[in-house]
Amino acid sequence: MNLIINGLQWGDEGKGKIIDFLTNFFDINIKFNGGTNSGHVIYYKKKKKILKLLPSGIFKKNCLFLLSNNVIINFENLIKEINQTIFYKKKIYLSNNFLVNNFINELLDYILDKKLKIGVTNNGITPIFIINSLKCSIRINNFFCINFLKKIKKIIFFYNIFFTFYNLRIKFYYKKIFFKFFIYFKKLKKNIIFNEKIINNKYKKIFESSQGSLLDFNNGTIPFVTSSYTNSKSVYVTSNFFLSNIIFLGIIKCYLTRVGNGFFLSKFSIFKNLLFSKYSNEIGTNSGRVRASGWLDLNILIKTIKTNNTINLIITKLDIFIFFKKIKLILNYFLKKNIINFEKINSYKVYSKKFKSWKKVNNVYFKNEKEFHLYIRFIEKYTNTSILIISIGKNIYDLIIL
């Protein structure tokens, strides 16, 4: 059996903890998208660990780990993370076909976002996909080629044109970049493997998405999306996965959050959002920015369930609602007549349902309060998707298995 875990919101759904738990039952943990623009928080031996590139199950001894084709690697950041998990270095494998990021792309990302105002994390993700579409990007398999130096010259030529266009007096010399890349490559050479050797075999695999479905380049809330494909079905194309015996699980929080720019209907007021973010620790793992928070939107959730072929749901952060008197679910909404600006909450007629909150949570499902049950069962009924796991805390075993 193979399993895909994918976030059904704008990321930050608590995927790290769930994957860390489920990796106990699998042989291989594969990360199939993302880069340093995303991050997962893991608590290992009661210590907080932030992972940006490595798979979330990295601290499990009886498992292999693969960074697949669609992951964007920054050599320096990867080596730092591997050094945190030095005992498991021999179990970490890198696809021979992933894209290599660098500091110049990060600078370009910053310049582009000043004009576009998307609210990106300035980790160079957009420029690397632009360069990839121009067919002059650097992949890890290029390091094995004799003409690697020519590849570096081409990409530097592109960079110099870009900075000249913006009237910036910056020039990059290919020899310095070449030697820096090659030093890092030597350190990771033993970990590079053909992607198909690990990804298409009989072992049990858990596939991990680093970002949420609403950030998908094609199906997300464009233009406020990432530049790669984050839907669970992209694993077939980007990772060359062809086995059919796979189960799709989707993770959601019991409320919505997003980092960066972009409108969403159930967003809290500024004051309420600041209070909520401080209490629930809703601060971006990678960006360090306060996340915009709001009530769970079931209308959006139904769409992402369908686009990701989701069979079961995992819901997290149910312990956050303990200090609420009442909570709300957004069911549906319609744009009012003669409205031009559709990025204001007052422009919509909103249908919602209110619930009473609960005072405590318990690891045994039937020992929880009536209000807790009503909330869970309503989500299941409205989305026509059963909930498999409920997370009620930050520790790995603060879970309810249904």
Side-chain angles (χ1 to χ4, degrees):
M1 183 189 74
N2 301 293
L3 191 68
I4 287 186
I5 304 290
N6 195 34
L8 300 182
Q9 296 167 336
W10 284 286
D12 312 308
E13 299 94 351
K15 294 185 288 295
K17 171 192 165 178
I18 300 297
I19 294 160
D20 188 29
F21 170 73
L22 290 174
T23 306
N24 288 307
F25 311 103
F26 290 86
D27 303 313
I28 305 172
N29 180 196
I30 300 168
K31 189 171 186 177
F32 68 92
N33 62 29
T36 51
N37 60 331
S38 60
H40 291 159
V41 175
I42 305 294
Y43 287 88
Y44 176 66
K45 293 182 179 179
K46 296 183 179 180
K47 290 183 180 179
K48 185 179 179 180
K49 302 285 184 181
I50 296 174
L51 301 172
K52 294 183 180 180
L53 289 169
L54 293 178
S56 299
I58 193 67
F59 296 104
K60 298 294 179 289
K61 293 180 181 179
N62 301 319
C63 197
L64 294 177
F65 308 96
L66 173 68
L67 296 178
S68 192
N69 294 345
N70 202 35
V71 180
I72 311 300
I73 298 296
N74 184 306
F75 278 138
E76 197 172 348
N77 289 348
L78 180 61
I79 289 165
K80 281 180 184 177
E81 284 192 33
I82 288 175
N83 290 337
Q84 289 179 21
T85 59
I86 193 69
F87 299 110
Y88 311 106
K89 187 176 179 180
K90 291 180 181 178
K91 293 189 174 184
I92 299 167
Y93 293 100
L94 312 174
S95 167
N96 67 316
N97 203 30
F98 64 72
L99 290 163
V100 179
N101 203 355
N102 60 66
F103 69 95
I104 311 173
N105 290 330
E106 293 173 8
L107 179 59
L108 286 178
D109 216 1
Y110 174 78
I111 294 168
L112 286 168
D113 199 53
K114 283 290 180 183
K115 295 286 184 183
L116 300 175
K117 296 180 180 179
I118 302 296
V120 299
T121 53
N122 300 325
N123 283 283
I125 304 300
T126 301
I128 201 169
F129 278 103
I130 293 171
I131 295 163
N132 190 42
S133 64
L134 293 170
K135 302 172 185 67
C136 60
S137 59
I138 298 173
R139 293 183 180 270
I140 196 68
N141 52 20
N142 296 138
F143 287 80
F144 295 97
C145 299
I146 300 170
N147 63 348
F148 176 64
L149 200 59
K150 290 182 179 179
K151 193 89 173 175
I152 292 284
K153 285 181 180 179
K154 283 182 182 180
I155 197 170
I156 296 300
F157 176 72
F158 167 79
Y159 288 143
N160 287 331
I161 289 173
F162 189 90
F163 287 117
T164 304
F165 178 78
Y166 275 93
N167 296 319
L168 295 171
R169 294 181 180 179
I170 303 172
K171 284 194 175 182
F172 297 101
Y173 298 96
Y174 67 89
K175 287 184 180 179
K176 288 183 180 180
I177 294 173
F178 169 74
F179 286 118
K180 193 175 182 181
F181 272 178
F182 215 75
I183 289 165
Y184 289 136
F185 170 69
K186 278 189 172 182
K187 291 181 180 180
L188 297 169
K189 190 177 179 180
K190 291 180 181 178
N191 300 79
I192 297 165
I193 193 170
F194 283 103
N195 193 69
E196 288 76 11
K197 283 189 176 181
I198 287 187
I199 210 161
N200 292 310
N201 55 38
K202 294 180 180 179
Y203 292 104
K204 292 185 289 183
K205 293 173 283 295
I206 179 168
F207 290 87
E208 166 187 347
S209 175
S210 66
Q211 291 161 317
S213 180
L214 292 174
L215 293 173
D216 185 81
F217 185 66
N218 280 337
N219 300 303
T221 50
I222 296 168
F224 305 103
V225 294
T226 188
S227 298
S228 61
Y229 304 107
T230 62
N231 277 344
S232 55
K233 287 180 282 189
S234 67
V235 72
Y236 291 109
V237 179
T238 57
S239 295
N240 300 332
F241 180 67
F242 60 76
L243 296 176
S244 57
N245 55 335
I246 193 161
I247 295 172
F248 296 92
L249 295 185
I251 299 185
I252 60 167
K253 275 192 287 202
C254 57
Y255 52 91
L256 276 178
T257 59
R258 75 180 300 177
V259 175
N261 299 330
F263 169 77
F264 72 98
L265 193 70
S266 60
K267 188 176 177 181
F268 295 146
S269 63
I270 295 171
F271 179 69
K272 190 175 181 179
N273 188 72
L274 285 171
L275 287 175
F276 183 80
S277 299
K278 191 171 183 181
Y279 163 67
S280 58
N281 196 29
E282 287 298 342
I283 297 168
T285 305
N286 187 56
S287 64
R289 292 177 287 185
V290 174
R291 295 170 183 149
S293 305
W295 300 115
L296 180 60
D297 190 329
L298 296 185
N299 187 41
I300 290 176
L301 179 59
I302 289 167
K303 291 175 183 176
T304 52
I305 285 171
K306 290 176 180 177
T307 54
N308 286 278
N309 282 2
T310 303
I311 296 172
N312 295 107
L313 291 174
I314 299 167
I315 188 166
T316 63
K317 301 271 188 174
L318 268 295
D319 54 308
I320 298 296
F321 283 158
I322 289 172
F323 297 101
F324 280 70
K325 287 185 178 180
K326 289 185 179 180
I327 52 180
K328 191 190 288 187
L329 285 173
I330 306 298
L331 306 181
N332 212 338
Y333 37 85
F334 299 96
L335 195 64
K336 293 176 183 177
K337 291 182 179 180
N338 303 320
I339 296 293
I340 299 172
N341 189 352
F342 56 87
E343 290 193 354
K344 285 188 176 181
I345 295 172
N346 296 333
S347 302
Y348 293 85
K349 186 178 181 181
V350 181
Y351 296 92
S352 61
K353 186 174 177 63
K354 291 183 179 179
F355 294 83
K356 288 182 181 179
S357 189
W358 40 90
K359 296 178 182 178
K360 58 182 180 178
V361 286
N362 195 297
N363 282 75
V364 181
Y365 180 68
F366 295 104
K367 290 185 179 180
N368 286 291
E369 298 169 38
K370 181 184 176 182
E371 289 77 15
F372 185 90
H373 291 268
L374 288 171
Y375 183 80
I376 293 295
R377 295 307 174 196
F378 184 86
I379 294 171
E380 286 184 321
K381 189 176 180 181
Y382 196 85
T383 60
N384 196 28
T385 312
S386 60
I387 292 171
L388 190 67
I389 300 172
I390 301 169
S391 174
I392 54 171
K394 67 180 183 180
N395 295 318
I396 188 171
Y397 295 110
D398 289 337
L399 297 170
I400 301 171
I401 312 295
L402 299 179

